[in-house]
Amino acid sequence: MTPTADVFVGPPIQWSSLSPMLILLGVAVVLLVAAALTPRWPRRTYALVAVGGALAAVVVAVCLWHGRGLSAWSGSADPTTGSSDPVRFLVGGAMRFDAFALWLTVIVGLAVALSVLVTDDYLEREGLSRLAPEIYALYLTAGLGAVVMGMANDLIVLFLGLEILSLSLYVLAASHRRRTQSQESALKYFILGGVASAVFLYGVALIYGASGSTNYTRALAAFVQNISPHRSEAMALAGVGLLLVGLGFKAAAVPFHMWAPDVYQGAPTPVTGFMASAAKAGAFAAMLRVLVVALPTWSADYRPIVWVMAVLTLVVGSVMAVAQTNVKRMLAFSSISHAGFLLVGVEAAIHDTTHAHPGDGVPSTMLYLLLYAVLVIGTFAVVTLVGRTGDGATDLAGFRGLARQRPVLAVAMTVLLVAQAGVPLTSGFVAKFGVITAAVGEHSYALAIIAMVAAVIAAYLYLRIMISMWVAEPDAADAGREPVGTPLLTSIVIAIAVAVTVVVGVAPGWLISLAQHVR
Amino acid sequence: MIAVAVTSTWYLVLAAVLFGIGLAGVMIRRNPLIMFMCIELMLNAVNLSFVTLANHLGDIGGQTTVLFVMVVAAAEVVVGLGIIVAILRRRPGATADDLSELKG
């Protein structure tokens, strides 16, 4: 634009490509306005509207997925990956729209829908139904933030997505008004998350200073051509490091994981499931995008860092989980160890940037995120039920005698835990096998072996929960406990999670080949 | 009197120092409100970097970025103060060390 132009001409906006995000945002606004202006809706209506919105976003994303390659794809092919799958840049190059973004939209939309269903029963049990519309609106905006993180083609847009996600999660973590634990976890999450956001932003500033742009495409061009007169290698490397810290925090990668156990334990259990699924998906999608698309010129410098982070995350997550007695804390460390597996996939994806033929790093990581999201929401749905009124009985003792009292629920939990451990014929195996194959394909043998050993150590933790459910005898203290309820919506979610786990575990081929389009 | 040209580097170093003060403050101070102010200091240090770099590069992008960051910081104030007030109302004078129900 010339300085004399007195009319601002905005970039063209492709509304249809943005529609999944607009649906999430629109339904959130409708819920908030309706909660403020209209009398209370009948029971469960708010939840159904929110679930409808999330599923509509998923359906639109699937339709857009099938529409790829049609005449609408007039955009330029992606110059960075050389992938045949076209990439379109939206809103003046600030966002990119491709199979990757749509896949992430599906993950996040499903996570929102399933979490809202679990939360509806939870709020009713805890006597918090009054908060329902606001909480569902926050789920939807958090999902919006996660999708923006994956679609961003500009570090500032990524930062905005990160903050939309984080701010929604802070409030969700604090949403159980009567539990001091809930507020404590929210404060810890907020303070540490705020620091991580600031560190991330400082990284953005340094990348901007080194390349002259926050846009992925332009920053990459500046680094590749090495023509920027202001280019400073030290500045760029410091920026890359700070970006890794910020994203590693969101993804709960060791050594930036300290918040995860406290926050996972203190937050309302359905919110914990949502954090472990959608927030992790957004963080890893952003990490892949930043490292693989925007900064591949520095891959030789940051690959060892990611390697060390992956090893630490795998080992610390698996080993620390063994020492816990609270199931939510155990699952927090289990989710840290899953983050380690995801980092194995990320490390493979970074290798992919150094040679022409595309490897399996990105597809296997994104497949992992999808399968893990369903798995972890189902697991936390069971923990929500076992937590009983007050959301307090989440220690191992709370699971004693579950098999006798609720055999079907115990079987479902067993299937989900077995899948998290990565036993064959479950989706967890498909996910773990995918990232380890990708690592082996890129000759990261050491990392692959460490990942497999960590999986074995982590299996002990899932075994402990199973023993508590099936073998441990209930003692006198358990006699006074309230029986575990199985409300309808939560049961549906658990059934869906178990069905996905088993079906994908038995017949994974179609999903794996579908994931191959995600680059 | 010594005339010293104030270059962009000075501002970048100042920003880095402010960022460091903020980071140290979060780690050392125990009052949630002060910790929160330190986070704001970190964000504003980054803003200073952005403006300096934008000026240095002759690019308007960095300056518009600052506006986005200010919006985000304002939203963070709303959420953060909400959480802090909710906690302090229940437990007046609580510090970060008092909040230790969650450990293991």
Coordinates of all heavy atoms in Angstrom, one line a residue, chain A residues 156 159-160 163 167 170-171 174 177-181 183-188 190-192 194-195 197-199 201-202 204-206 208-209 212-214 230 235 262-263 265-266 324 329, chain B residues 12 15-16 19 23 26 32 35-36 39 42-43 46-47 49-50 53-54 56-57 59-63 65 68-69 72 75-76 79-80 83-84 86-87 90-91 99-104:
Chain A
I156 N 1.9 -14.1 15.1 CA 1.0 -13.3 15.9 C -0.4 -13.9 15.9 O -1.0 -14.0 17.0 CB 0.9 -11.8 15.4 CG1 2.3 -11.2 15.6 CG2 -0.2 -11.1 16.1 CD1 2.7 -11.2 17.0
F159 N -0.1 -16.6 18.3 CA -0.1 -16.1 19.7 C -1.6 -15.8 20.1 O -2.0 -16.2 21.2 CB 0.7 -14.9 19.8 CG 0.7 -14.2 21.2 CD1 1.3 -14.8 22.2 CD2 0.0 -13.0 21.3 CE1 1.2 -14.3 23.5 CE2 0.0 -12.4 22.6 CZ 0.6 -13.1 23.7
L160 N -2.4 -15.3 19.2 CA -3.8 -15.0 19.5 C -4.5 -16.3 19.8 O -5.3 -16.4 20.8 CB -4.4 -14.2 18.4 CG -3.9 -12.8 18.2 CD1 -4.6 -12.1 17.0 CD2 -4.1 -11.9 19.5
E163 N -3.6 -17.6 23.1 CA -4.2 -16.9 24.3 C -5.7 -17.2 24.4 O -6.3 -17.3 25.5 CB -4.0 -15.4 24.1 CG -2.5 -15.0 24.4 CD -2.2 -15.3 25.9 OE1 -2.9 -14.9 26.8 OE2 -1.2 -16.0 26.1
L167 N -6.8 -18.6 27.9 CA -7.7 -17.8 28.8 C -9.0 -18.6 29.0 O -9.5 -18.6 30.2 CB -8.0 -16.4 28.1 CG -6.8 -15.5 28.1 CD1 -7.2 -14.2 27.3 CD2 -6.3 -15.1 29.5
Y170 N -8.1 -21.2 31.6 CA -7.9 -20.7 33.0 C -9.3 -20.7 33.7 O -9.5 -21.1 34.8 CB -7.3 -19.3 33.0 CG -6.0 -19.2 32.4 CD1 -5.6 -18.0 31.7 CD2 -5.1 -20.3 32.4 CE1 -4.3 -17.9 31.1 CE2 -3.8 -20.1 31.8 CZ -3.5 -19.0 31.1 OH -2.3 -18.8 30.5
V171 N -10.3 -20.1 33.0 CA -11.6 -19.9 33.6 C -12.2 -21.3 33.8 O -12.9 -21.6 34.8 CB -12.5 -19.1 32.7 CG1 -13.8 -18.8 33.4 CG2 -11.8 -17.7 32.5
A174 N -11.1 -23.0 36.9 CA -11.6 -22.4 38.1 C -13.1 -22.6 38.3 O -13.7 -22.1 39.2 CB -11.3 -20.9 38.1
R177 N -16.9 -23.7 41.6 CA -16.8 -22.6 42.6 C -16.6 -23.0 44.0 O -15.9 -22.3 44.8 CB -18.2 -21.8 42.6 CG -18.4 -21.1 41.3 CD -18.2 -19.6 41.6 NE -18.6 -18.8 40.4 CZ -19.9 -18.5 40.2 NH1 -20.8 -18.8 41.1 NH2 -20.2 -17.7 39.2
R178 N -17.0 -24.2 44.4 CA -17.0 -24.5 45.8 C -15.7 -25.3 46.2 O -15.4 -25.5 47.3 CB -18.2 -25.4 46.2 CG -19.5 -24.5 46.3 CD -20.6 -25.3 46.9 NE -20.7 -26.6 46.3 CZ -21.4 -26.8 45.2 NH1 -22.0 -25.8 44.6 NH2 -21.5 -28.0 44.7
R179 N -14.9 -25.8 45.2 CA -13.7 -26.5 45.5 C -12.5 -25.6 45.5 O -12.2 -25.0 44.5 CB -13.5 -27.6 44.4 CG -14.3 -28.9 44.7 CD -14.0 -29.9 43.6 NE -12.7 -30.5 43.7 CZ -11.9 -30.7 42.7 NH1 -12.1 -30.2 41.6 NH2 -10.7 -31.3 42.9
T180 N -11.9 -25.5 46.6 CA -10.7 -24.6 46.6 C -9.6 -25.1 45.7 O -8.8 -24.4 45.1 CB -10.1 -24.4 48.1 OG1 -10.0 -25.7 48.6 CG2 -11.0 -23.6 48.9
Q181 N -9.6 -26.5 45.6 CA -8.6 -27.1 44.7 C -8.7 -26.5 43.3 O -7.7 -26.3 42.6 CB -8.7 -28.6 44.7 CG -8.3 -29.2 45.9 CD -8.1 -30.7 45.7 OE1 -8.5 -31.3 44.7 NE2 -7.6 -31.4 46.7
Q183 N -9.8 -23.6 42.3 CA -9.3 -22.3 42.1 C -7.8 -22.3 42.2 O -7.1 -21.5 41.5 CB -9.9 -21.4 43.2 CG -11.3 -21.0 42.8 CD -12.2 -20.7 43.9 OE1 -11.7 -20.5 45.1 NE2 -13.5 -20.7 43.7
E184 N -7.2 -23.1 43.1 CA -5.8 -23.1 43.3 C -5.2 -23.6 41.9 O -4.2 -23.0 41.5 CB -5.4 -24.1 44.4 CG -3.9 -24.2 44.6 CD -3.5 -25.3 45.6 OE1 -4.4 -25.6 46.5 OE2 -2.4 -25.8 45.5
S185 N -5.8 -24.6 41.3 CA -5.2 -25.1 40.1 C -5.3 -24.0 39.0 O -4.4 -23.8 38.2 CB -5.9 -26.3 39.6 OG -7.1 -26.0 39.0
A186 N -6.4 -23.2 39.0 CA -6.6 -22.2 38.0 C -5.5 -21.1 38.2 O -4.9 -20.6 37.2 CB -7.9 -21.5 38.1
L187 N -5.2 -20.7 39.5 CA -4.2 -19.7 39.7 C -2.8 -20.2 39.3 O -2.1 -19.4 38.6 CB -4.2 -19.3 41.2 CG -3.2 -18.1 41.5 CD1 -3.8 -16.9 40.9 CD2 -3.0 -18.0 42.9
K188 N -2.5 -21.4 39.6 CA -1.2 -22.0 39.2 C -1.1 -22.0 37.7 O 0.0 -21.6 37.1 CB -1.0 -23.4 39.8 CG -0.7 -23.4 41.3 CD -0.5 -24.8 41.8 CE 0.0 -24.7 43.2 NZ -0.1 -26.0 43.9
F190 N -2.7 -20.2 35.6 CA -2.7 -18.8 35.1 C -1.3 -18.2 35.2 O -0.8 -17.6 34.2 CB -3.8 -18.0 35.8 CG -3.7 -16.5 35.4 CD1 -4.1 -16.1 34.2 CD2 -3.2 -15.6 36.3 CE1 -4.0 -14.8 33.8 CE2 -3.1 -14.3 35.9 CZ -3.5 -13.9 34.7
I191 N -0.7 -18.3 36.4 CA 0.6 -17.6 36.6 C 1.6 -18.2 35.7 O 2.3 -17.5 34.9 CB 1.0 -17.7 38.1 CG1 0.0 -17.0 39.0 CG2 2.4 -17.2 38.2 CD1 0.2 -15.5 39.0
L192 N 1.7 -19.6 35.7 CA 2.7 -20.2 34.9 C 2.4 -20.1 33.4 O 3.3 -19.9 32.6 CB 2.8 -21.7 35.3 CG 3.4 -21.9 36.7 CD1 3.3 -23.4 37.1 CD2 4.8 -21.4 36.8
G194 N 0.8 -17.6 32.0 CA 1.1 -16.2 31.6 C 2.6 -16.0 31.4 O 3.0 -15.4 30.4
V195 N 3.4 -16.6 32.2 CA 4.9 -16.5 32.0 C 5.2 -17.2 30.7 O 6.0 -16.6 29.9 CB 5.6 -17.2 33.2 CG1 7.1 -17.3 32.8 CG2 5.4 -16.4 34.4
S197 N 3.4 -17.6 28.1 CA 2.9 -16.8 26.9 C 3.9 -15.7 26.7 O 4.2 -15.4 25.5 CB 1.5 -16.3 27.2 OG 0.6 -17.3 27.3
A198 N 4.3 -15.0 27.8 CA 5.2 -13.9 27.6 C 6.6 -14.4 27.0 O 7.1 -13.7 26.1 CB 5.5 -13.2 29.0
V199 N 7.0 -15.5 27.4 CA 8.3 -16.1 26.9 C 8.1 -16.4 25.4 O 8.9 -16.0 24.5 CB 8.7 -17.4 27.6 CG1 9.8 -18.1 26.9 CG2 9.1 -17.0 29.0
L201 N 6.0 -15.0 23.4 CA 5.9 -13.7 22.7 C 7.3 -13.1 22.5 O 7.5 -12.5 21.4 CB 5.0 -12.8 23.4 CG 4.5 -11.5 22.6 CD1 3.7 -12.0 21.5 CD2 3.8 -10.6 23.5
Y202 N 8.1 -13.2 23.5 CA 9.5 -12.7 23.3 C 10.2 -13.4 22.2 O 10.9 -12.8 21.4 CB 10.3 -12.8 24.6 CG 11.4 -11.9 24.8 CD1 11.5 -10.7 24.0 CD2 12.5 -12.1 25.6 CE1 12.5 -9.8 24.2 CE2 13.5 -11.3 25.8 CZ 13.5 -10.1 25.0 OH 14.6 -9.2 25.2
V204 N 8.7 -14.6 19.6 CA 8.1 -14.0 18.3 C 8.8 -12.7 18.0 O 9.2 -12.5 16.8 CB 6.6 -13.8 18.5 CG1 6.0 -13.1 17.3 CG2 5.9 -15.1 18.8
A205 N 9.0 -11.9 19.0 CA 9.7 -10.6 18.8 C 11.1 -10.8 18.2 O 11.5 -10.1 17.3 CB 9.7 -9.8 20.1
L206 N 11.8 -11.8 18.7 CA 13.2 -12.0 18.3 C 13.2 -12.5 16.8 O 14.0 -12.2 16.0 CB 13.9 -12.9 19.2 CG 14.2 -12.3 20.6 CD1 15.0 -13.3 21.5 CD2 14.9 -11.0 20.5
Y208 N 10.9 -12.0 14.7 CA 10.6 -10.8 13.9 C 11.8 -9.9 13.6 O 12.1 -9.5 12.5 CB 9.5 -10.0 14.6 CG 9.2 -8.7 14.0 CD1 8.5 -8.6 12.8 CD2 9.5 -7.5 14.7 CE1 8.2 -7.4 12.2 CE2 9.2 -6.3 14.1 CZ 8.6 -6.2 12.9 OH 8.3 -5.0 12.3
G209 N 12.6 -9.7 14.7 CA 13.8 -8.9 14.5 C 14.8 -9.5 13.6 O 15.5 -8.8 12.8
G212 N 12.5 -10.0 9.9 CA 11.8 -8.9 9.4 C 10.3 -9.1 9.2 O 9.6 -8.3 8.7
S213 N 9.8 -10.3 9.6 CA 8.4 -10.6 9.5 C 8.0 -11.7 10.5 O 8.8 -12.5 10.9 CB 8.1 -11.1 8.1 OG 6.7 -11.4 8.0
T214 N 6.7 -11.6 10.9 CA 6.2 -12.7 11.8 C 5.5 -13.7 10.9 O 5.1 -14.7 11.5 CB 5.2 -12.1 12.8 OG1 4.2 -11.4 12.1 CG2 6.0 -11.3 13.8
H230 N 19.3 -7.1 8.2 CA 19.3 -7.1 9.7 C 19.4 -8.4 10.3 O 19.3 -8.6 11.5 CB 18.1 -6.4 10.2 CG 17.8 -5.2 9.4 ND1 18.5 -4.0 9.5 CD2 16.8 -4.9 8.5 CE1 18.0 -3.1 8.7 NE2 17.0 -3.6 8.1
M235 N 20.1 -13.7 17.3 CA 18.7 -13.3 17.6 C 17.7 -14.4 17.2 O 16.8 -14.8 17.9 CB 18.4 -12.0 16.9 CG 17.3 -11.2 17.5 SD 17.1 -9.7 16.5 CE 17.1 -8.5 17.7
D262 N -0.5 -30.6 39.0 CA -1.4 -29.8 39.9 C -2.7 -29.4 39.2 O -3.8 -29.5 39.8 CB -0.6 -28.6 40.4 CG 0.4 -28.9 41.5 OD1 0.4 -30.1 41.9 OD2 1.1 -28.0 42.0
V263 N -2.5 -28.9 38.0 CA -3.7 -28.4 37.3 C -4.6 -29.5 36.9 O -5.8 -29.4 37.1 CB -3.2 -27.6 36.0 CG1 -4.4 -27.2 35.2 CG2 -2.4 -26.4 36.5
Q265 N -5.0 -32.3 38.5 CA -5.7 -32.8 39.7 C -6.7 -31.8 40.2 O -7.8 -32.2 40.6 CB -4.7 -33.1 40.8 CG -5.3 -33.7 42.0 CD -4.3 -33.8 43.2 OE1 -3.1 -33.5 43.0 NE2 -4.9 -34.1 44.3
G266 N -6.4 -30.5 40.1 CA -7.3 -29.6 40.7 C -8.5 -29.2 39.9 O -9.6 -28.9 40.4
Q324 N 2.7 -42.0 42.1 CA 1.5 -41.3 42.5 C 0.4 -42.2 43.1 O 0.4 -43.4 42.8 CB 0.9 -40.5 41.3 CG 1.8 -39.7 40.6 CD 2.4 -38.6 41.4 OE1 1.7 -38.0 42.3 NE2 3.7 -38.3 41.3
R329 N -3.7 -37.4 39.1 CA -2.2 -37.1 39.0 C -1.5 -38.2 38.1 O -0.7 -37.9 37.3 CB -1.6 -37.1 40.4 CG -1.7 -35.8 41.1 CD -0.9 -35.8 42.3 NE 0.4 -35.0 42.2 CZ 0.5 -33.7 42.2 NH1 -0.6 -33.0 42.3 NH2 1.6 -33.1 42.0
Chain B
L12 N 16.6 -2.4 23.0 CA 16.5 -3.9 23.1 C 17.1 -4.4 24.4 O 16.5 -5.3 25.0 CB 17.2 -4.5 21.9 CG 16.5 -4.4 20.6 CD1 17.3 -5.0 19.5 CD2 15.1 -4.9 20.6
A15 N 14.7 -3.6 27.1 CA 13.6 -4.6 27.1 C 14.0 -5.9 27.7 O 13.2 -6.5 28.5 CB 13.1 -4.8 25.6
A16 N 15.2 -6.4 27.3 CA 15.6 -7.6 27.9 C 15.7 -7.5 29.4 O 15.3 -8.5 30.1 CB 16.9 -8.0 27.3
F19 N 12.3 -7.6 30.9 CA 11.8 -8.9 30.8 C 12.4 -9.8 32.0 O 11.7 -10.5 32.6 CB 12.1 -9.5 29.5 CG 11.4 -10.8 29.2 CD1 10.1 -10.8 28.6 CD2 12.0 -12.0 29.4 CE1 9.5 -12.0 28.4 CE2 11.4 -13.2 29.2 CZ 10.1 -13.2 28.6
L23 N 10.5 -11.7 35.0 CA 10.6 -13.1 35.2 C 11.1 -13.4 36.6 O 10.6 -14.3 37.3 CB 11.6 -13.7 34.2 CG 11.7 -15.2 34.1 CD1 10.4 -15.8 33.7 CD2 12.7 -15.6 33.0
V26 N 8.3 -12.9 39.2 CA 7.3 -14.0 39.2 C 7.9 -15.1 40.1 O 7.2 -15.7 40.9 CB 7.0 -14.6 37.8 CG1 6.1 -15.8 38.0 CG2 6.3 -13.5 37.0
P32 N 0.1 -13.2 44.9 CA -0.4 -13.4 43.5 C -0.6 -12.2 42.7 O -0.3 -12.2 41.5 CB -1.8 -14.0 43.8 CG -1.8 -14.5 45.2 CD -0.8 -13.7 45.9
M35 N 2.9 -11.1 41.4 CA 3.3 -12.0 40.4 C 2.6 -11.7 39.1 O 3.2 -11.7 38.0 CB 3.0 -13.5 40.8 CG 3.8 -14.0 42.0 SD 3.1 -15.5 42.7 CE 3.9 -16.7 41.7
F36 N 1.3 -11.4 39.2 CA 0.6 -11.0 38.0 C 1.1 -9.7 37.4 O 1.2 -9.7 36.2 CB -0.9 -10.9 38.5 CG -1.8 -10.6 37.4 CD1 -1.7 -11.2 36.2 CD2 -2.9 -9.7 37.6 CE1 -2.6 -10.9 35.2 CE2 -3.7 -9.4 36.6 CZ -3.6 -10.0 35.4
I39 N 4.1 -10.5 35.3 CA 3.8 -11.0 34.0 C 3.5 -9.9 33.0 O 3.9 -9.8 31.9 CB 2.6 -12.0 34.1 CG1 3.0 -13.2 34.9 CG2 2.1 -12.4 32.7 CD1 1.9 -14.2 35.2
M42 N 6.6 -8.3 31.9 CA 7.2 -9.1 30.8 C 6.6 -8.8 29.5 O 7.2 -8.6 28.5 CB 7.1 -10.6 31.1 CG 7.9 -11.1 32.3 SD 7.5 -12.7 32.9 CE 8.3 -13.7 31.7
L43 N 5.2 -8.8 29.4 CA 4.5 -8.6 28.2 C 4.9 -7.2 27.6 O 5.1 -7.0 26.4 CB 3.0 -8.7 28.4 CG 2.5 -10.1 28.5 CD1 1.0 -10.0 28.8 CD2 2.7 -10.9 27.2
V46 N 8.3 -7.1 26.0 CA 8.2 -7.6 24.7 C 7.6 -6.5 23.7 O 8.1 -6.3 22.6 CB 7.3 -8.9 24.6 CG1 7.2 -9.3 23.2 CG2 7.9 -9.9 25.5
N47 N 6.6 -5.8 24.2 CA 6.1 -4.7 23.4 C 7.2 -3.7 23.0 O 7.2 -3.2 21.9 CB 5.0 -4.0 24.2 CG 3.7 -4.7 24.0 OD1 3.5 -5.6 23.1 ND2 2.7 -4.3 24.8
S49 N 10.3 -4.3 22.8 CA 11.2 -4.9 21.7 C 10.5 -4.8 20.4 O 11.2 -4.5 19.4 CB 11.4 -6.4 22.0 OG 11.9 -6.6 23.3
F50 N 9.2 -5.1 20.3 CA 8.5 -5.0 19.0 C 8.6 -3.6 18.4 O 8.9 -3.5 17.2 CB 7.0 -5.4 19.2 CG 6.8 -6.9 18.9 CD1 6.3 -7.7 19.9 CD2 7.0 -7.4 17.7 CE1 6.0 -9.0 19.7 CE2 6.7 -8.7 17.4 CZ 6.3 -9.6 18.4
L53 N 12.2 -2.9 17.2 CA 12.5 -3.7 16.0 C 11.8 -3.1 14.8 O 12.4 -3.0 13.7 CB 12.3 -5.2 16.2 CG 13.2 -5.8 17.2 CD1 12.7 -7.2 17.6 CD2 14.6 -6.0 16.6
A54 N 10.5 -2.8 15.0 CA 9.7 -2.2 13.9 C 10.4 -0.9 13.4 O 10.5 -0.7 12.2 CB 8.3 -2.0 14.4
H56 N 13.5 -0.1 13.8 CA 14.8 -0.5 13.2 C 14.7 -1.0 11.8 O 15.4 -0.7 10.9 CB 15.5 -1.5 14.1 CG 16.9 -1.9 13.7 ND1 17.9 -1.0 13.8 CD2 17.4 -3.0 13.3 CE1 19.0 -1.5 13.4 NE2 18.7 -2.8 13.1
L57 N 13.6 -1.9 11.6 CA 13.4 -2.5 10.3 C 12.7 -1.6 9.3 O 12.6 -1.9 8.2 CB 12.7 -3.8 10.5 CG 13.3 -4.9 11.3 CD1 12.3 -6.0 11.7 CD2 14.5 -5.6 10.5
D59 N 9.5 -1.2 9.4 CA 8.3 -2.0 9.1 C 7.2 -1.7 10.0 O 7.4 -1.5 11.2 CB 8.7 -3.5 9.2 CG 7.6 -4.4 8.9 OD1 7.0 -4.2 7.9 OD2 7.4 -5.3 9.7
I60 N 6.0 -1.5 9.5 CA 4.9 -1.2 10.4 C 4.3 -2.4 11.1 O 3.6 -2.3 12.1 CB 3.7 -0.5 9.5 CG1 2.7 0.2 10.4 CG2 3.0 -1.6 8.7 CD1 3.2 1.5 10.9
G61 N 4.7 -3.6 10.7 CA 4.1 -4.8 11.2 C 4.3 -4.9 12.7 O 3.4 -5.3 13.5
G62 N 5.5 -4.6 13.2 CA 5.8 -4.8 14.6 C 5.0 -3.8 15.5 O 4.6 -4.2 16.6
Q63 N 4.7 -2.7 14.9 CA 3.9 -1.7 15.7 C 2.4 -2.1 15.8 O 1.8 -2.0 16.9 CB 4.0 -0.3 15.1 CG 5.4 0.2 15.1 CD 5.5 1.7 14.8 OE1 4.6 2.4 15.0 NE2 6.6 2.0 14.2
T65 N 1.5 -5.2 15.8 CA 1.5 -6.3 16.7 C 1.3 -5.9 18.1 O 0.6 -6.6 18.9 CB 2.9 -7.1 16.6 OG1 3.0 -7.5 15.2 CG2 3.0 -8.2 17.5
F68 N -2.2 -5.8 19.2 CA -2.7 -7.1 19.5 C -2.3 -7.5 20.9 O -3.1 -8.0 21.7 CB -2.3 -8.1 18.5 CG -2.9 -8.0 17.1 CD1 -2.3 -7.5 16.0 CD2 -4.3 -8.4 17.0 CE1 -2.9 -7.4 14.8 CE2 -4.9 -8.3 15.8 CZ -4.2 -7.8 14.7
V69 N -1.0 -7.3 21.2 CA -0.5 -7.8 22.5 C -1.2 -7.0 23.6 O -1.6 -7.6 24.6 CB 1.0 -7.6 22.6 CG1 1.5 -8.0 23.9 CG2 1.7 -8.4 21.5
V72 N -4.6 -8.6 24.2 CA -4.4 -9.9 24.9 C -4.1 -9.6 26.4 O -4.7 -10.3 27.2 CB -3.3 -10.7 24.2 CG1 -2.9 -11.9 25.1 CG2 -3.8 -11.2 22.9
A75 N -7.2 -8.7 28.2 CA -8.1 -9.9 28.4 C -7.5 -10.7 29.6 O -8.2 -11.2 30.4 CB -8.2 -10.7 27.2
E76 N -6.1 -10.8 29.6 CA -5.5 -11.6 30.7 C -5.8 -10.9 32.0 O -6.0 -11.6 33.0 CB -4.0 -11.6 30.4 CG -3.4 -13.0 30.7 CD -2.0 -13.1 30.0 OE1 -1.2 -12.3 30.3 OE2 -1.8 -14.1 29.2
V79 N -9.3 -12.0 33.2 CA -9.4 -13.3 33.7 C -8.6 -13.5 35.0 O -9.0 -14.1 36.0 CB -8.9 -14.3 32.6 CG1 -8.7 -15.7 33.1 CG2 -9.9 -14.3 31.5
G80 N -7.3 -13.0 34.9 CA -6.4 -13.2 36.1 C -7.0 -12.5 37.4 O -7.0 -13.2 38.4
I83 N -9.8 -14.6 38.8 CA -9.3 -15.8 39.6 C -8.8 -15.3 40.9 O -9.1 -15.9 42.0 CB -8.3 -16.6 38.7 CG1 -8.9 -17.1 37.5 CG2 -7.7 -17.7 39.6 CD1 -8.0 -17.8 36.5
I84 N -7.9 -14.3 40.9 CA -7.3 -13.9 42.1 C -8.3 -13.4 43.1 O -8.2 -13.7 44.3 CB -6.2 -12.8 41.8 CG1 -5.1 -13.4 41.0 CG2 -5.7 -12.2 43.1 CD1 -4.1 -12.4 40.5
A86 N -11.4 -14.3 43.3 CA -12.2 -15.4 43.8 C -11.4 -16.1 44.9 O -12.0 -16.6 45.9 CB -12.5 -16.4 42.6
I87 N -10.1 -16.2 44.8 CA -9.3 -16.9 45.8 C -9.2 -16.0 47.1 O -9.4 -16.5 48.2 CB -7.9 -17.3 45.3 CG1 -8.1 -18.4 44.3 CG2 -7.0 -17.6 46.4 CD1 -6.8 -18.9 43.7
R90 N -12.1 -15.9 49.4 CA -12.3 -17.0 50.3 C -11.2 -17.1 51.3 O -11.5 -17.5 52.5 CB -12.2 -18.3 49.4 CG -12.6 -19.6 50.1 CD -12.4 -20.7 49.1 NE -13.5 -20.7 48.2 CZ -14.5 -21.6 48.3 NH1 -14.6 -22.4 49.3 NH2 -15.5 -21.6 47.4
R91 N -10.0 -16.8 51.0 CA -8.9 -16.8 51.9 C -8.1 -15.5 51.9 O -7.2 -15.4 51.2 CB -8.0 -18.0 51.5 CG -8.7 -19.3 51.4 CD -7.9 -20.3 50.6 NE -6.7 -20.7 51.4 CZ -5.9 -21.7 51.0 NH1 -6.2 -22.4 49.9 NH2 -4.9 -22.0 51.8
L99 N -1.3 -21.7 49.0 CA -2.1 -22.5 48.1 C -1.3 -23.8 47.8 O -0.6 -23.9 46.9 CB -2.4 -21.8 46.8 CG -3.1 -20.5 47.0 CD1 -3.1 -19.7 45.7 CD2 -4.5 -20.7 47.5
S100 N -1.4 -24.8 48.7 CA -0.6 -26.0 48.5 C -1.5 -27.2 48.8 O -1.0 -28.2 49.4 CB 0.6 -25.9 49.4 OG 0.1 -25.8 50.7
E101 N -2.7 -27.2 48.4 CA -3.5 -28.4 48.6 C -3.1 -29.5 47.6 O -3.3 -30.6 47.8 CB -5.0 -28.1 48.3 CG -5.7 -27.5 49.5 CD -7.2 -27.4 49.2 OE1 -7.8 -28.3 48.7 OE2 -7.7 -26.3 49.4
L102 N -2.6 -29.0 46.4 CA -2.3 -29.9 45.4 C -0.8 -30.3 45.4 O 0.0 -29.4 45.1 CB -2.7 -29.3 44.0 CG -4.1 -28.9 43.9 CD1 -4.3 -28.1 42.7 CD2 -5.0 -30.2 43.7
K103 N -0.5 -31.4 45.8 CA 0.9 -31.8 45.6 C 1.0 -33.4 45.7 O 0.0 -34.0 46.1 CB 1.8 -31.2 46.7 CG 1.3 -31.5 48.1 CD 2.3 -30.9 49.1 CE 1.7 -30.0 50.1 NZ 2.4 -29.3 51.0
G104 N 2.1 -33.9 45.3 CA 2.2 -35.4 45.3 C 3.4 -35.8 44.7 O 4.2 -35.1 44.2

